[in-house]
């Protein structure tokens, strides 16, 4: 599923309750961080990976980590990275 903006992403996550959501940090209407905060308010347990690099901005990185995101993947290799991380989490 692909959402056109952060509000739509939060709405879809609340409705579908997926195990994992891959979000951009920078989205229209709500940022990825705002979506994760909204998920917390709704007590949603979906794991989140951001598809933007977090290391560019230390404040954003620290906030994302404090919100409990699993990490980030580059947009160019997102699918391969997610498959690899998922396999590693299943093994241990």
């Amino acid at each position: 599923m692909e959402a056109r903006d952060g509000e739509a992403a939060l709405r879809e996550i609340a409705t579908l309750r997926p195990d994992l959501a891959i979000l951009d940090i920078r989205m229209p209407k709500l940022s990825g961080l705002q979506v994760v905060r909204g998920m917390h308010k709704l007590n949603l347990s979906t794991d989140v990976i951001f598809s933007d690099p977090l290391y560019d901005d230390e404040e954003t990185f620290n906030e994302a980590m404090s919100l409990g995101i699993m990490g980030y993947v580059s947009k160019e290799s997102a699918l391969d990275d997610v498959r690899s991380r998922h396999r590693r989490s299943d093994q241990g």
Side-chain angles (χ1 to χ4, degrees):
M1 195 242 40
E2 187 173 325
R4 67 186 173 282
D5 58 52
E7 285 180 357
L10 181 55
R11 205 170 32 252
E12 292 295 324
I13 291 168
T15 301
L16 299 173
R17 301 197 182 245
D19 293 330
L20 177 68
I22 302 171
L23 302 172
D24 286 348
I25 293 173
R26 294 163 195 86
M27 294 187 285
K29 298 189 180 180
L30 293 177
S31 72
L33 294 171
Q34 290 170 312
V35 171
V36 174
R37 283 190 221 108
M39 290 169 55
H40 287 191
K41 288 180 184 176
L42 296 171
N43 293 316
L44 300 173
S45 60
T46 299
D47 290 328
V48 174
I49 294 175
F50 283 133
S51 64
D52 293 322
L54 296 173
Y55 55 82
D56 290 344
D57 175 0
E58 186 175 349
E59 184 177 331
T60 301
F61 174 84
N62 291 336
E63 184 173 0
M65 293 298 114
S66 74
L67 289 171
I69 69 142
M70 294 179 63
Y72 80 92
V73 294
S74 70
K75 288 185 181 188
E76 294 78 26
S77 64
L79 189 54
D80 290 338
D81 287 348
V82 169
R83 284 182 181 145
S84 174
R85 287 172 193 233
H86 182 67
R87 277 195 290 270
R88 284 193 305 245
S89 69
D90 284 346
Q91 294 171 354

